Amino acid sequence: HVPLVRLRASSDVIRERLTRRHASVAPWELEGFLAGHESLARTLDEANLDDVVIQVDHLSPQEVALRLADVAGV
């Protein structure tokens, strides 16, 4: 069985990251992403499909990768 892992970030972190990624490249997408991210997070929480949820607010990409490797058993 391959574990289903969801990476979770706080609303403030999500807003900052979405703005950084989309404001200059695809500003027309930013408003839609900002409007929908909280609803999507609620839906995923309610669906309860994850085996593991990792809070990534204060983790570097390398730290996230290490946690994923740990969950996968590698």
Side-chain angles (χ1 to χ4, degrees), residues 14-15 18 22 26 28-38:
I14 290 172
R15 287 179 188 284
L18 286 173
H22 296 282
W28 59 90
E29 293 178 340
L30 178 59
E31 190 172 322
F33 286 139
L34 289 174
H37 83 272
E38 289 181 6

Side-chain angles (χ1 to χ4, degrees), residues 1 5 9-10 12-14 18 26 32 36-39 43 49-50 57 59 74:
H1 158 265
V5 180
S10 68
D12 289 340
V13 169
I14 290 172
L18 286 173
H37 83 272
E38 289 181 6
S39 174
T43 298
L49 299 173
D50 332 291
D57 283 3
L59 299 179
V74 293

Side-chain angles (χ1 to χ4, degrees), residues 3 66-74:
L66 288 172
R67 296 218 181 163
L68 290 170
D70 185 50
V71 168
V74 293

